[in-house]
């Protein structure tokens, strides 16, 4: 079974490509949110999913976690941990978007911009997060440490 | 032989997953530490505990404009003493709006100005709303209308979401 799955994902370059793509996206998202914590807190509040006391702590911590995940994936260090965290976050984001869309909210995503005047959320945002989630799972299962710091450190220590 | 390979594969997958969980937990801790440090030293950092009740949020974002609470807006709606202005774009308005509301995006006030002025002068309370806290459309609309002579325009901050959440009547279409 695994051999069959591997046949679908033979190239280490695919997981490397996914790693860089996810890494760059998370790094960018983290920088945008870290630059405007007030705007991001507002975006979080607009989802009406978190209790008031959780909004500021999440608005403070989440951008840094995204930065760390982005750096981990781009550099290829602790790649599986970074990919797992990215996947978990993407599931949470997709759920939050889906719930808000079902509830009929017409709010800004807060994903790559903290402006409240940004484009409203649509189901395309959920599809985007699901595609990125699949990339994350692919990295966890099939990453070959191509062009990664993990590989470099391992080679040096031998 | 095949079974042994499968067991080995399963074990490898479990090992990879547990390694991923360990690394993930470490990355979260690292991120939280960085966040705490950065937020502590940056000017204008966010307080860890914030005021996020609708009334406090409304007060801090409306500045010179007058807000209205959901309860007050609902009460005026029930007494048919309110004119609701939906400041969102026509597509969002078509997908759903407060029953009886007029679509009035800030850039297109000229078309509905006469009607709004007449209704406002007849004694209706003009209430503008859009969606999301910090949404600039309804304050922008309120300022424009007041410039054109509408005596008072109140803002129902985060109006659409809160109206929906409360289960109050909504309409669809143009």
């Amino acid at each position: 079974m695994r051999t069959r799955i591997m046949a679908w994902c033979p190239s280490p370059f695919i997981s490397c490509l996914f790693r860089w793509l996810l890494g760059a996206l998370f790094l960018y998202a983290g920088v945008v949110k870290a630059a405007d914590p007030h705007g991001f807190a507002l975006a979080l509040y607009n989802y009406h999913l978190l209790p008031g006391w959780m909004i500021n702590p999440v608005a403070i911590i989440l951008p840094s976690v995204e930065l760390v995940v982005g750096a981990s994936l781009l550099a290829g260090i602790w790649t599986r941990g970074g990919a797992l965290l990215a996947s978990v976050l993407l599931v949470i984001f997709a759920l939050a978007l889906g719930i808000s869309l079902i509830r009929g909210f017409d709010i800004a995503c807060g994903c790559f911009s903290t402006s409240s005047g940004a484009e409203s959320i649509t189901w395309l945002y959920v599809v985007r997060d699901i595609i990125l989630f699949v990339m994350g799972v692919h990295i966890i299962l099939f990453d070959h440490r191509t062009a990664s710091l993990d590989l470099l450190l391992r080679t040096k220590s031998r | 032989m095949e079974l042994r390979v499968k067991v080995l594969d399963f074990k490898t997958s479990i090992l990879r997953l547990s390694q991923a969980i360990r690394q993930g937990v470490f990355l979260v801790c690292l991120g939280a530490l960085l966040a705490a440090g950065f937020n502590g030293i940056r000017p204008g950092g966010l307080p860890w505990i914030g005021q996020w009740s609708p009334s406090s949020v409304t007060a801090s974002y409306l500045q010179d404009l007058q807000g209205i609470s959901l309860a007050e807006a609902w009460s005026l709606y029930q007494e048919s003493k309110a004119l609701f202005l939906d400041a969102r774009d026509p597509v969002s308005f078509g997908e759903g709006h407060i029953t009886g509301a007029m679509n009035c995006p800030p850039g297109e006030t000229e078309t509905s100005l006469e009607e709004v002025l007449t209704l406002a002068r007849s004694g209706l309370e003009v209430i503008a709303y859009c969606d999301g806290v910090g949404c600039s459309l309804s304050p922008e609309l309120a300022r424009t209308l007041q410039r054109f002579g509408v005596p008072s325009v109140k803002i129902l901050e985060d109006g659409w979401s809160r109206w929906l959440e409360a289960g109050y009547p909504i309409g669809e279409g143009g």
Side-chain angles (χ1 to χ4, degrees):
Chain A
M1 179 66 184
R2 188 175 158 74
T3 331
R4 227 179 296 160
I5 296 171
M6 284 299 285
W8 280 87
C9 316
S11 168
F13 296 105
I14 290 179
S15 74
C16 186
L17 191 74
F18 286 172
R19 191 158 60 74
W20 285 344
L21 185 72
L22 262 189
L25 282 176
F26 268 83
L27 206 62
Y28 177 71
V31 168
V32 168
K33 288 167 191 157
D36 180 18
H38 291 273
F40 181 48
L42 257 183
L44 284 175
Y45 173 79
N46 285 336
Y47 279 89
H48 295 258
L49 286 172
L50 293 173
W53 61 268
M54 272 185 77
I55 288 174
N56 280 14
V58 173
I60 293 169
I61 293 171
L62 187 60
S64 294
V65 171
E66 285 186 328
L67 283 173
V68 168
V69 168
S72 144
L73 291 174
L74 270 180
I77 188 156
W78 290 350
T79 310
R80 283 199 190 107
L84 179 71
L85 212 50
S87 308
V88 170
L89 286 173
L90 285 163
V91 170
I92 295 170
F93 297 160
L95 280 174
L97 286 165
I99 291 169
S100 300
L101 284 164
I102 289 167
R103 290 162 91 186
F105 291 178
D106 182 28
I107 52 174
C109 177
C111 313
F112 298 105
S113 161
T114 52
S115 160
S116 54
E119 201 182 315
S120 300
I121 54 172
T122 65
W123 285 103
L124 279 179
Y125 287 64
V126 180
V127 173
R128 177 198 65 194
D129 282 357
I130 292 170
I131 293 170
L132 293 174
F133 165 76
V134 171
M135 288 184 189
V137 173
H138 184 283
I139 297 167
I140 300 171
L141 294 176
F142 304 111
D143 186 55
H144 296 262
R145 295 197 169 101
T146 310
S148 73
L149 216 58
D150 264 344
L151 183 70
L152 192 74
L153 292 173
R154 213 165 257 234
T155 323
K156 274 198 173 175
S157 65
R158 271 180 195 164
Chain B
M1 181 66 184
E2 202 175 302
L3 183 73
R4 201 185 291 173
V5 171
K6 273 184 184 171
V7 170
L8 212 65
D9 275 355
F10 180 71
K11 276 187 177 171
T12 317
S13 298
I14 294 291
L15 269 175
R16 281 186 177 186
L17 196 65
S18 64
Q19 184 197 32
I21 292 170
R22 270 200 315 276
Q23 292 178 351
V25 169
F26 183 83
L27 288 173
V28 170
C29 295
L30 184 66
L33 271 176
L34 278 174
F38 184 51
N39 190 59
I41 56 167
R42 75 187 294 176
L46 214 55
W48 283 88
I49 305 293
Q51 290 293 319
W52 287 103
S53 65
S55 55
S56 59
V57 172
T58 303
S60 62
Y61 281 92
L62 291 188
Q63 297 163 359
D64 53 315
L65 295 168
Q66 217 182 337
I68 186 166
S69 71
L70 184 64
E72 279 178 278
W74 172 235
S75 163
L76 287 169
Y77 174 88
Q78 284 176 306
E79 295 165 17
S80 302
K81 286 182 181 168
L83 167 65
F84 285 91
L85 298 179
D86 190 318
R88 299 172 304 154
D89 62 275
V91 177
S92 303
F93 178 81
E95 284 169 357
H97 53 260
I98 294 177
T99 304
M102 272 172 66
N103 189 207
C104 196
E108 299 161 28
T109 42
E110 282 162 25
T111 48
S112 40
L113 184 64
E114 277 303 313
E115 199 180 346
V116 174
L117 265 170
T118 313
L119 291 168
R121 282 172 186 156
S122 73
L124 290 184
E125 187 79 71
V126 183
I127 301 171
Y129 71 91
C130 49
D131 202 15
V133 175
C135 168
S136 57
L137 295 172
S138 50
E140 207 178 313
L141 172 66
R143 287 192 184 99
T144 311
L145 290 176
Q146 284 176 348
R147 242 193 341 265
F148 282 116
V150 179
S152 153
V153 183
K154 291 185 175 167
I155 307 287
L156 180 59
E157 187 76 350
D158 197 15
W160 176 235
S161 295
R162 286 166 62 211
W163 190 271
L164 260 184
E165 268 189 320
Y168 295 155
I170 57 166
E172 281 179 18

